[in-house]
Amino acid sequence: MDASTQRTELTGSFTAAAWDRIAPIMAEIEALPLLTRLSDGTLPAEIFRHYILQDALYLKHYARCLAIVAAKAPDNAQVLRFLGSAQKAITVEQGLHAGFLTQFGIMAADVTLAEPSPTCFAYTNFLLATAYHRSYAVALSAILPCFWIYWHVGEAIKNRPVIEGNAFQAWINTYGDPQFAAGAREVIALTDIAARAASPAERTEMTDVFVRAAQYEWMFWDSAWRLETWPV
């Protein structure tokens, strides 16, 4: 099942409406030069190194966000489902990072000493603040775009012709993999369950943070393309 099919099956749900809200953002994401050139194997190695290093820093904070959100779940069933889906995503991404860090000559010490870019810093702090200070439903909506957008992008790129010798094929395979898709579908389902129990005001806030996180997803890839650093 690809992301488009999943979106069709969600018609009428909170997540379907939220996904519709970010349609303009998704159009911009799909047109990003970083993703276009990653898919055809022409992305400069320097840009990919910058991206994967920032992504490793992001994942460290994102994993903590997932743990906070799980702790806020209203019952044990949702705690276990959420932890399971989160574990799938974290395990898959950690394996991907380990391979690419080695392939592109990035040492463990480089990750330890690396400084988050302005966009990485802003995005992770937005997620952590939302996870700590907002309800389970709102926090869940904030972390959902990372799952869903990577699944959507991975599926789209996976369906393009395979470029022989593409150094980034493992990235494409990871986010187009059924294991990653299963984790994303679980978080989508949990978000809809949470939305049904939320008040109208809370649902509005859920939509707001979903849109903001989607904007940050675009900014993250764009900042890597620009080799973003702190200006002063």
Side-chain angles (χ1 to χ4, degrees):
M1 182 191 302
D2 63 22
S4 297
T5 301
Q6 177 68 19
R7 165 63 185 80
T8 300
E9 292 190 357
L10 291 169
T11 299
S13 67
F14 168 81
T15 56
W19 188 259
D20 286 343
R21 279 286 301 275
I22 67 167
I25 301 171
M26 289 307 305
E28 295 293 334
I29 286 174
E30 290 164 0
L32 281 165
L34 184 148
L35 293 176
T36 300
R37 297 189 62 180
L38 185 151
S39 70
D40 66 15
T42 64
L43 184 68
E46 181 185 15
I47 292 176
F48 188 78
R49 278 195 296 269
H50 181 88
Y51 161 71
I52 207 68
L53 184 56
Q54 290 298 314
D55 202 38
L57 296 176
Y58 170 88
L59 184 62
K60 179 176 67 173
H61 295 292
Y62 189 67
R64 286 158 175 74
C65 288
L66 298 180
I68 297 165
V69 176
K72 291 188 172 187
D75 56 60
N76 286 342
Q78 291 192 58
V79 170
L80 292 174
R81 286 184 67 187
F82 185 80
L83 287 175
S85 63
Q87 183 180 19
K88 290 174 189 174
I90 295 297
T91 300
V92 166
E93 291 198 282
Q94 283 182 331
L96 177 70
H97 286 155
F100 275 132
L101 292 175
T102 300
Q103 180 182 342
F104 284 85
I106 302 171
M107 309 299 291
D110 296 326
V111 179
T112 301
L113 296 174
E115 184 177 26
S117 68
T119 296
C120 181
F121 183 83
Y123 189 9
T124 54
N125 275 273
F126 161 74
L127 291 175
L128 284 166
T130 304
Y132 271 116
H133 298 298
R134 297 294 182 263
S135 69
Y136 169 68
V138 174
L140 194 52
S141 296
I143 60 92
L144 175 58
C146 183
F147 282 98
W148 201 346
I149 291 173
Y150 266 80
W151 173 29
H152 177 87
V153 168
E155 287 287 345
I157 295 177
K158 182 181 72 172
N159 291 327
R160 298 173 186 172
V162 175
I163 306 299
E164 186 175 354
N166 187 343
F168 315 112
Q169 190 61 46
W171 190 98
I172 298 168
N173 294 343
T174 293
Y175 295 111
D177 186 86
Q179 183 180 6
F180 188 83
R185 286 196 296 270
E186 284 283 344
V187 180
I188 292 169
L190 288 170
T191 305
D192 278 325
I193 291 170
R196 288 195 290 271
S199 68
E202 193 175 16
R203 285 170 65 96
T204 296
E205 190 175 4
M206 290 173 69
T207 300
D208 290 344
V209 298
F210 183 89
V211 172
R212 181 69 72 229
Q215 291 171 321
Y216 271 124
E217 286 293 326
W218 180 91
M219 290 173 63
F220 192 90
W221 277 313
D222 180 68
S223 68
W225 174 255
R226 294 183 289 103
L227 298 174
E228 181 187 66
T229 56
W230 292 90
V232 293

